[in-house]
Amino acid sequence: MFSKWGPEWEDLQYCECGAVESMEHILTQCDHGVWRRNLWAEMSDLLRGSTLIPREMCRPPTFAEIMGVGAVRLNNRVATRLWATIVSETAFTIWKLRNRRRFDGLDIRTAVALNSWRANLGKRAKTDLALTRVKGPKTTTETQRATDAVAVWKWVISTKGGATTWIYADHG
């Protein structure tokens, strides 16, 4: 697969566990990095902490669910948006950390992974909530999106004094 780029790339097609490295393997199959498994478990705990997400969806997603995250529909808009946001941010965090390990040689530990994930969720929340404060006329759809964004994040983060922070007491 990588041989077209030269022999120095050939070994990069294999994960540290020996399997051919694919997106599916990286996100859902490889048990080499315990941090990955712990990150999915933490995500599941976070989802369980919400009364919005059906219990059967408070688990690590399948590869098909990750790739089709925008097509998954839960019992309401806010639950759907919350689940899709948390799953996609978790998958993206795993991908970025895997790349740092693979290409920069960074040794990923669970604490590093969780801190990175929480920071990424905080940035996403800050962006979503900032968009709710955009001035000017709003359509009904824009108003609904803003309402949904607040509903999604209000139980995960705190926005006291203009600063967006993770609620550690409630979410680890």
Side-chain angles (χ1 to χ4, degrees):
M1 175 161 76
F2 289 97
S3 60
K4 64 184 174 186
W5 294 319
E8 66 276 6
W9 285 87
E10 286 187 31
D11 286 341
L12 291 178
Q13 67 185 318
Y14 298 104
C15 180
E16 292 173 345
C17 71
V20 172
E21 206 168 46
S22 66
M23 193 179 294
E24 183 173 15
H25 179 77
I26 292 164
L27 295 175
T28 64
Q29 295 173 345
C30 185
D31 284 333
H32 182 73
V34 76
W35 62 269
R36 182 182 298 110
R37 198 170 41 248
N38 291 341
L39 196 53
W40 284 124
E42 186 77 14
M43 181 216 67
S44 298
D45 290 346
L46 179 64
L47 292 175
R48 264 191 293 284
S50 168
T51 57
L52 298 171
I53 307 298
R55 292 291 150 229
E56 66 273 10
M57 296 304 284
C58 296
R59 54 159 174 73
T62 65
F63 183 66
E65 288 169 338
I66 294 168
M67 296 309 290
V69 73
V72 173
R73 296 288 176 259
L74 302 181
N75 45 351
N76 64 60
R77 274 189 334 271
V78 174
T80 298
R81 181 175 174 158
L82 173 63
W83 186 87
T85 301
I86 301 295
V87 167
S88 62
E89 288 296 329
T90 304
F92 191 46
T93 298
I94 289 170
W95 183 260
K96 290 188 299 186
L97 288 173
R98 173 264 178 200
N99 287 343
R100 296 216 40 221
R101 177 186 53 78
R102 188 70 155 157
F103 300 111
D104 300 336
L106 181 68
D107 184 29
I108 306 296
R109 301 274 187 231
T110 296
V112 169
L114 290 175
N115 288 338
S116 179
W117 176 67
R118 288 179 184 131
N120 290 337
L121 286 176
K123 288 176 195 171
R124 176 66 184 269
K126 193 177 275 191
T127 300
D128 280 0
L129 294 172
L131 291 173
T132 68
R133 294 186 294 275
V134 172
K135 303 288 186 218
K138 290 187 171 71
T139 66
T140 304
T141 303
E142 290 169 329
T143 301
Q144 188 61 56
R145 282 189 194 133
T147 302
D148 290 353
V150 171
V152 162
W153 292 111
K154 72 180 180 181
W155 63 277
V156 177
I157 53 111
S158 170
T159 54
K160 293 179 182 160
T164 303
T165 58
W166 187 265
I167 304 174
Y168 287 95
D170 296 336
H171 306 293

